[in-house]
Amino acid sequence: GHREFMNTAALVLKQRPEVTFAIVGGDVTPKGVFLDELRQWVAERGLGKQILFLGWRRDIPEVTSCFDLAVQASRYVEGLGRSLLEGMAVGLASVATRTGGFCEVVEDGVTGLLTPVGDSQAMSEAILQLLADPAKRQAMGAAGRRRLERYFDAKVQIQEFKQLFLDVLQRPYRRWYP
């Protein structure tokens, strides 16, 4: 969803040119051709000062804590959305596409806003809505932090997996092959 994210950023910047977007992470394509393509797209539109490429980082909590929002524009069914969880950990509201695990992570209207996959217009409107309302954004961020602690904390996940395994082990044994 990088291209959708870029289109979303361009739409937001038309109304709020002071906003800065950051893409965190590197390129896993051979010779980095994908990020090169995105950088070229940004350069052609003169958005190099508003859309930053931060590359691979080891200081994610520090970097993420500088943001106002966590945005994830994936087009694919993602398992969970770790970047959204990282945003929630530092109290950020989220804007994400309505796909895969994002629907489990983001409680629409409570911890952030979900938008249709591939709809840059809807995503830009969601971002603009939250940028215009700092109190709502902060309330969603706080709700996201609570949701993270309640459902996605490692200790909680370990207990849930433990209970799942115990439930499976208590089922009657049946051969599944002839």
Side-chain angles (χ1 to χ4, degrees), residues 150-151 153-167:
R150 182 171 182 192
Y151 297 109
D153 183 82
K155 292 176 185 172
V156 172
Q157 293 290 303
I158 289 168
Q159 288 305 313
E160 288 187 13
F161 275 113
K162 177 182 174 183
Q163 190 58 51
L164 174 67
F165 289 131
L166 290 173
D167 291 348

Side-chain angles (χ1 to χ4, degrees), residues 73-139:
S74 184
R75 295 184 56 79
Y76 307 103
V77 176
E78 304 231 6
L80 193 58
R82 182 176 175 156
S83 64
L84 294 174
L85 294 174
E86 291 167 343
M88 292 167 83
V90 296
L92 298 181
S94 303
V95 175
T97 48
R98 190 181 305 278
T99 184
F102 298 172
C103 299
E104 290 181 48
V105 172
V106 178
E107 189 175 357
D108 193 25
V110 177
T111 66
L113 299 172
L114 293 171
T115 63
V117 172
D119 190 340
S120 295
Q121 183 65 44
M123 182 166 270
S124 68
E125 290 169 6
I127 291 169
L128 288 166
Q129 176 187 341
L130 292 179
L131 290 176
D133 192 343
K136 182 175 186 176
R137 191 173 68 237
Q138 290 169 355

Side-chain angles (χ1 to χ4, degrees), residues 6-122:
M6 306 292 272
N7 289 327
T8 296
L11 290 169
V12 169
L13 290 167
K14 285 180 182 177
Q15 294 185 48
R16 299 280 304 263
E18 77 282 5
V19 172
T20 301
F21 290 87
I23 297 173
V24 181
D27 194 337
V28 295
T29 61
K31 299 183 182 176
V33 295
F34 184 67
L35 271 181
D36 288 345
E37 177 187 317
L38 295 179
R39 284 188 181 100
Q40 181 179 345
W41 187 95
V42 167
E44 288 170 357
R45 286 155 184 80
L47 300 174
K49 292 185 180 180
Q50 291 115 331
I51 301 176
L52 309 176
F53 294 87
L54 303 184
W56 294 109
R57 301 294 299 239
R58 295 191 182 275
D59 57 346
I60 292 298
E62 293 81 7
V63 171
T64 306
S65 67
C66 297
F67 299 157
D68 292 315
L69 289 169
V71 178
Q72 181 57 270
S74 184
R75 295 184 56 79
Y76 307 103
V77 176
E78 304 231 6
L80 193 58
R82 182 176 175 156
S83 64
L84 294 174
L85 294 174
E86 291 167 343
M88 292 167 83
V90 296
L92 298 181
S94 303
V95 175
T97 48
R98 190 181 305 278
T99 184
F102 298 172
C103 299
E104 290 181 48
V105 172
V106 178
E107 189 175 357
D108 193 25
V110 177
T111 66
L113 299 172
L114 293 171
T115 63
V117 172
D119 190 340
S120 295
Q121 183 65 44

